[in-house]
Amino acid sequence: MGVRIITLMIKHFVLDVDGVLTDGRFHYSCNGKIMKVFGPHDNDGLKMIRDKVAIQFITADARGFEISYRRIWRDMDFPLTLVSEKDRYAFVSALGFEETAFMGDGYHDAPVMRDCALSFAPSSARKEAKAAADIVTESAGGNGAVMDACLYLKEFHFDRV
Amino acid sequence: MGVRIITLMIKHFVLDVDGVLTDGRFHYSCNGKIMKVFGPHDNDGLKMIRDKVAIQFITADARGFEISYRRIWRDMDFPLTLVSEKDRYAFVSALGFEETAFMGDGYHDAPVMRDCALSFAPSSARKEAKAAADIVTESAGGNGAVMDACLYLKEFHFDRV
Amino acid sequence: MGVRIITLMIKHFVLDVDGVLTDGRFHYSCNGKIMKVFGPHDNDGLKMIRDKVAIQFITADARGFEISYRRIWRDMDFPLTLVSEKDRYAFVSALGFEETAFMGDGYHDAPVMRDCALSFAPSSARKEAKAAADIVTESAGGNGAVMDACLYLKEFHFDRV
Amino acid sequence: MGVRIITLMIKHFVLDVDGVLTDGRFHYSCNGKIMKVFGPHDNDGLKMIRDKVAIQFITADARGFEISYRRIWRDMDFPLTLVSEKDRYAFVSALGFEETAFMGDGYHDAPVMRDCALSFAPSSARKEAKAAADIVTESAGGNGAVMDACLYLKEFHFDRV
């Protein structure tokens, strides 16, 4: 969990949705997945750095895509792409690992985290993700973890380069 | 976090909504922000002091305003004003900092907290808000934090002046 | 918080609803209070003792009454009465304090708790209620606190008399 | 809570729903039980082992059956059977205890847990279930407990036989 030397400017900040911008839980009625819970503070943090880095969200949750889309694209105005777990590594690789920061919380996020320039996991992430992340935030997913990551990027990266 | 000497009677108690009277979370469906979660005890506390101080709520959450309005204005009968983050300091300043107590939980609340006569942050607030507050309540936002602040105001201020 | 000597058989078990059988939170939409969250295990516990004691629930929440009624009367088949905070003491007194066990979580429950034969507070209760209760359960309200109280009543009272 | 010697290959993995795959809570409106909260990671875990063991879910919750069915059968594609608490032991016994792993969280799950080849309880389970389980997972129900159990089965059982 030590911080690597980042030699290039970070150009991309890619974030997973469920468990990162939400608490990871799915509210089900008899009609299926109908709600997700987004947290406070995170949008404040993203606003602080959105003019310095290309921010985008990726999700493997096809059934809940409309809900994530409503929050992320319509209300927060960030790109959201449906990327399956097995294509996640290739997707981030195509952006260029050495210029990309990544935030995720799942078992399958670990390989991406190890190869990105900088990786974040919320305190509520799977232990496999936390073990692979450079930075484990103080806050949990859906409760300020993204704000923590944005403040870190601002203070220790963008304000210094 | 030590308590300042308050030389004037507190006339205004201004509270943020999300993360203070709620747990800060936004429930989203594919139709957008549809629910917030308000907690127990807080209305009991506000009733104890509402004849002694002018209580009002402010919020920067335009999309969730109708939900907050339903709880705060319709059910609890307190004023609720939409004030953007950047206008918050001027709004409270216009009431008179030296006669105003404030309760907030966010990164941008810290400057207001430093200048008010007395400031409260829930235990669940951002660390930046907690560092700026005079009093960090035992309870979390949406789970009794406002009750804690009201009991404090009653016992250590209104019952003594 | 020591346990009093109970000299008579407990005939009544009176429980508050919000914060005891629920987690105390109110889910609001722009249409008002629309949901409450009830927990697991509690109905299992109540079933264990319902042939030994008259169980009833009281609530001061008029706006959420229909929700509480749906769970408690319709699904669990227990009486539910709307009793305001100020009438709570008299209501329980009329049953006979010396034959009544009470479970509550609020600031205003403390006087009832002190005079009942046996009183319970969930671990998530206001500290004022916990200080007045004979027994603070290991579990939180809406998360097994009522099951804990039922097991206590079964093991330390009904199985012994 | 020590791990027993398992002499036969595990053929069945039977899981309770509420408190295991969910956080155990029931969201009520005035129309009754309308929502349950399922967690992240668990489906990822079940996918890892579904070709090695017959996975099925059982539930005693008749009123919430349609919600559980929507998640488990329709979205995750696993069998779900309504089995009352009193028939649970016989149901699992008929599969053959010595070839069955079981995961549960309730007071009445303890006897099944004691007789199965391997039993799991989430960290959030009733203490009676945790005392009877071979393995108490690090994660809570509805928050990765099933993922933990699947990783355990994969690493310490299926990868070794």
Side-chain angles (χ1 to χ4, degrees), chain C residues 1-146:
Chain C
M1 255 182 287
V3 179
R4 289 171 224 167
I5 307 300
I6 306 174
T7 50
L8 293 176
M9 183 73 161
I10 296 217
K11 285 191 187 163
H12 300 279
F13 185 22
V14 180
L15 300 97
D16 184 22
V17 176
D18 296 296
V20 173
L21 199 65
T22 78
D23 62 5
R25 308 204 179 186
F26 304 123
H27 287 61
Y28 265 75
S29 76
C30 57
N31 295 318
K33 197 181 281 186
I34 57 164
M35 285 203 319
K36 296 183 181 188
V37 180
F38 293 87
H41 311 305
D42 292 337
N43 204 15
D44 290 348
L46 293 164
K47 283 178 192 168
M48 288 178 192
I49 60 168
R50 73 183 302 166
D51 60 339
K52 297 187 179 64
V53 63
I55 297 169
Q56 67 172 299
F57 288 84
I58 59 175
T59 181
D61 180 23
R63 283 187 203 93
F65 188 79
E66 277 184 279
I67 305 169
S68 302
Y69 164 91
R70 192 56 164 81
R71 173 65 177 159
I72 292 167
W73 172 253
R74 289 279 299 277
D75 285 2
M76 290 167 52
D77 198 20
F78 291 109
L80 170 66
T81 310
L82 193 60
V83 180
S84 73
E85 290 291 354
K86 71 178 187 341
D87 297 328
R88 182 162 289 195
Y89 188 89
F91 181 91
V92 180
S93 173
L95 298 173
F97 281 132
E98 71 283 5
E99 297 178 321
T100 300
F102 178 76
M103 184 163 197
D105 76 313
Y107 185 87
H108 296 295
D109 290 328
V112 182
M113 287 172 153
R114 282 190 209 99
D115 286 347
C116 274
L118 189 63
S119 57
F120 299 91
S123 62
S124 53
R126 288 288 315 168
K127 64 184 171 193
E128 299 85 6
K130 289 197 280 190
D134 296 309
I135 311 279
V136 176
T137 64
E138 267 189 67
S139 305
N143 204 14
V146 173

Side-chain angles (χ1 to χ4, degrees), chain A residues 83-94 97 111-112 115:
Chain A
V83 180
S84 73
E85 290 291 354
K86 70 178 188 340
D87 296 329
R88 182 162 289 196
Y89 187 90
F91 181 91
V92 180
S93 173
F97 281 131
V112 182
D115 286 347

Side-chain angles (χ1 to χ4, degrees), chain D:
Chain D
M1 256 182 287
V3 180
R4 288 171 225 168
I5 307 298
I6 305 175
T7 50
L8 293 176
M9 183 74 160
I10 295 213
K11 287 191 187 163
H12 300 279
F13 185 22
V14 181
L15 301 97
D16 184 23
V17 176
D18 296 295
V20 173
L21 199 64
T22 77
D23 62 5
R25 308 202 179 187
F26 305 124
H27 287 60
Y28 264 76
S29 76
C30 56
N31 295 317
K33 198 181 280 187
I34 57 165
M35 285 203 319
K36 295 183 181 189
V37 180
F38 293 88
H41 312 305
D42 292 338
N43 203 15
D44 290 347
L46 293 164
K47 283 179 192 168
M48 288 179 192
I49 60 169
R50 73 184 302 165
D51 61 338
K52 295 185 179 66
V53 64
I55 297 168
Q56 66 172 297
F57 287 84
I58 60 175
T59 180
D61 179 24
R63 283 185 203 94
F65 188 78
E66 278 185 276
I67 305 170
S68 302
Y69 164 91
R70 192 54 164 82
R71 172 65 176 159
I72 291 167
W73 171 254
R74 289 279 299 277
D75 285 0
M76 290 167 52
D77 198 19
F78 291 109
L80 170 66
T81 310
L82 193 59
V83 181
S84 72
E85 290 291 354
K86 70 179 188 339
D87 296 329
R88 183 163 287 196
Y89 188 89
F91 181 91
V92 180
S93 173
L95 298 173
F97 281 131
E98 70 285 0
E99 297 177 322
T100 299
F102 177 75
M103 185 162 197
D105 76 313
Y107 184 87
H108 296 295
D109 291 327
V112 182
M113 286 173 152
R114 281 190 209 101
D115 286 348
C116 274
L118 189 63
S119 57
F120 298 92
S123 61
S124 52
R126 287 288 314 168
K127 64 185 173 193
E128 299 84 7
K130 290 198 280 190
D134 296 309
I135 311 280
V136 176
T137 63
E138 266 189 68
S139 305
N143 204 15
V146 172
M147 174 59 146
D148 287 357
C150 292
L151 285 173
Y152 184 94
L153 280 170
K154 181 180 182 299
E155 289 169 25
F156 295 100
H157 184 70
F158 297 118
D159 287 356
R160 296 185 180 197
V161 289

Side-chain angles (χ1 to χ4, degrees), chain B residues 82-146:
Chain B
L82 194 59
V83 180
S84 73
E85 289 290 355
K86 71 178 187 340
D87 296 330
R88 181 162 289 197
Y89 187 89
F91 181 91
V92 180
S93 173
L95 297 175
F97 281 131
E98 71 284 3
E99 298 177 321
T100 299
F102 178 75
M103 186 162 195
D105 76 314
Y107 185 87
H108 296 296
D109 290 328
V112 182
M113 286 172 152
R114 282 189 209 100
D115 287 347
C116 274
L118 189 63
S119 58
F120 299 92
S123 61
S124 54
R126 287 289 313 168
K127 63 184 172 195
E128 301 84 6
K130 289 197 280 190
D134 295 310
I135 311 281
V136 176
T137 63
E138 267 189 67
S139 304
N143 204 14
V146 173

